[in-house]
Structures are given as C-alpha cells and as structure tokens.
Amino acid sequence: MTRRVSPLTLVIAATVALIGGGAVAAPAAAFPAPAPGSDTAAQQTTLYYDDSRAAEFRDAVEAGAAEWNAAVDNVELVRAPAGRRAEITVVATDGWPMATLGPVRPGGSATIWFGRQAVWQGHDEVRIAAHELGHSLGLPDVKPGPCSSLMSGSTGGVGCTNAAPNAQERSRVEQLYGGGAAGAAPAAGTLVVDGP
C-alpha cells in the first residue's frame, strides 16, 4: 500500500533530522485544529461601512459598529477608508430611520437612512445605529419588544439606551455569517422602516 506524505511532513522531518531530534510528530498533532466556537475557528467576514454622509451621526455609527464587533466573531464592521467601496452606506435624513434588510455580503450593498425624527423624539443615537446595522446584518424588527432586545427598536421606549444585541440576536448573526455563509451571494434587500 502506498502512503502519501505531505510536503510539510517532509520539511518537519528534515528539520528534526538536521538539528538531531528524535521522533517526528505528525503536523496535525503539532498544530491541532481550532476548537469549534473559538476565535480562530470563526470564518470572519469583513464588511465596510461608509459614514461620510451620516453628518452628525458619524460617532453614533462608529459606536454602534463597535457594539456589534464586541458581540460577534463571524463578522466585523469596519469604517471604509477613502477610495474603498463599502457594503453599507449610512445617510442622515430628517425622516424615520430605515435600512435595507440583509444579510449583506462582501461586494453587496445595503443602505441605512439615519433618521433625525427618532432622535428628535428622544431615542438614543447609538441604539439607533446598532439597530439599523442589525438590519444590514440580517435581523428583522422584533416589535413590540423590551429594551433588552436591540431589534425591538423604538418600542423599547425613549429612555432605552441599550445598544447591545441580546443572545438570540448575536446567535442569529453568527449563524448568518458562519459556516461558509460569508461566501454566499449578496442578499436581496427589503426596506425596513423603523417608525413607531
């Protein structure tokens, strides 16, 4: 029976022989596979956002993206550098916030309209940003809902400042962007209007 030996195994064996070592461990034993759920096992998708038209909400958008980045492993939201095409475009408007429902994929396109009307009524800017980014990541509204649910949006009340996704929201985004889903075709977006 012929056994195939990988080039890496040959390199390790030659190195060990040169330095006078003993037995050679198989590469798999030397570099064990990452455990499921570990950071190195995650198939991270990087999505770029363009907040150049977000006006006074740029800091809120950055803080909302940071909430998602702290909460999930399979996707990372990064402000697009100059000249880089972004998958998510944020535009300040005077209406109610609304967004394209994702999940947006690399090379795809989603828009968030950061509506001032919600801010004028007293809703938290960072919560609005994180909520709308949640739509771009594929989460629909869950209304009515408690403040502990990011996707409850305005039904969390004007006093609600929670901008962190709950366990179910985190889990759903991890599913949408994990397990090879990052390479899937861009999702066809539906417009979600976050009015009262």
Side-chain angles (χ1 to χ4, degrees), residues 34-53:
S38 71
D39 287 342
T40 55
Q43 295 185 15
Q44 190 175 72
T45 298
T46 300
L47 297 174
Y48 292 91
Y49 65 89
D50 175 4
D51 62 358
S52 64
R53 296 187 291 162

Side-chain angles (χ1 to χ4, degrees), residues 6-19 23-28 30-31:
S6 76
L8 179 59
T9 302
L10 294 173
V11 170
I12 291 172
T15 304
V16 170
L18 285 173
I19 59 174
V24 177
F31 305 101

Side-chain angles (χ1 to χ4, degrees), residues 94-97 115-124 128 154 158 194:
D94 288 338
W96 271 96
R116 291 181 179 96
Q117 189 169 355
V119 176
W120 294 335
Q121 290 192 10
H123 293 280
D124 183 73
I128 293 169
S154 61
V158 292
D194 288 307

Side-chain angles (χ1 to χ4, degrees), residues 1 4 12 19 76 83 107 111 122 124 134 140 182-183 188 191:
M1 173 181 248
R4 296 192 74 169
I12 291 172
I19 59 174
E76 181 180 19
T111 303
D124 183 73
L191 188 62

Side-chain angles (χ1 to χ4, degrees), residues 65-137:
E67 290 285 349
W68 278 107
N69 290 341
V72 296
D73 294 321
N74 290 341
V75 65
E76 181 180 19
L77 300 171
V78 176
R79 179 180 279 154
R84 165 87 180 164
R85 184 190 176 285
E87 286 83 13
I88 303 169
T89 302
V90 184
V91 181
T93 68
D94 288 338
W96 271 96
M98 55 184 170
T100 309
L101 183 61
V104 67
R105 304 288 183 206
S109 178
T111 303
I112 293 171
W113 293 269
F114 201 117
R116 291 181 179 96
Q117 189 169 355
V119 176
W120 294 335
Q121 290 192 10
H123 293 280
D124 183 73
E125 293 178 14
V126 177
R127 179 175 166 84
I128 293 169
H131 175 90
E132 300 306 327
L133 287 165
H135 286 318
S136 296
L137 297 175

